[in-house]
Amino acid sequence: MLKNTRSPSSITSAVWWERENWPWISLRIEKVLDQIPPALRELFVWRHINEFSYEEIAEIKDLPLGTIKNRVYQAKELIRRHMEKIT
């Protein structure tokens, strides 16, 4: 069984940092999402914001499961590249 090796104070600090910086991070993510193709953005939002399963998205879009997984991955890679340029 894995144990959490982080101390309570480091966890508290991490939570504080996230809360304090969330508006800034959120704005960056919104800007990046606006820069990726709408079709990829839609799938990314359904998967990672709305928490649809890959299977649910495939059924809604009437596309093969592998295609959905690939496009969500493409979206994540584009977002990652854009975020790296910003930082």
Side-chain angles (χ1 to χ4, degrees), residues 15-73:
V15 170
W16 173 84
W17 187 91
E18 288 175 8
R19 286 184 183 154
E20 289 295 314
N21 289 293
W22 181 248
W24 176 74
I25 294 168
S26 180
L27 286 173
R28 288 177 58 198
I29 292 170
E30 285 181 30
K31 286 181 181 181
V32 169
L33 283 174
D34 286 341
Q35 296 176 21
I36 67 172
L40 295 180
R41 178 175 55 238
E42 175 185 50
L43 297 177
F44 177 84
V45 169
W46 283 3
R47 177 69 183 126
H48 295 288
I49 308 294
N50 297 329
E51 298 180 345
F52 281 81
S53 70
Y54 289 112
E55 292 80 8
E56 290 170 321
I57 298 169
E59 185 176 329
I60 292 167
K61 297 300 282 182
D62 195 28
L63 291 169
L65 181 61
T67 300
I68 297 300
K69 288 181 176 182
N70 180 272
R71 291 181 185 172
V72 171
Y73 175 79

Side-chain angles (χ1 to χ4, degrees), residues 64-86:
L65 181 61
T67 300
I68 297 300
K69 288 181 176 182
N70 180 272
R71 291 181 185 172
V72 171
Y73 175 79
Q74 288 176 32
K76 285 192 286 189
E77 284 299 300
L78 286 172
I79 291 166
R80 183 184 58 77
R81 285 188 211 131
H82 283 293
M83 293 293 281
E84 286 175 351
K85 288 179 187 175
I86 293 172

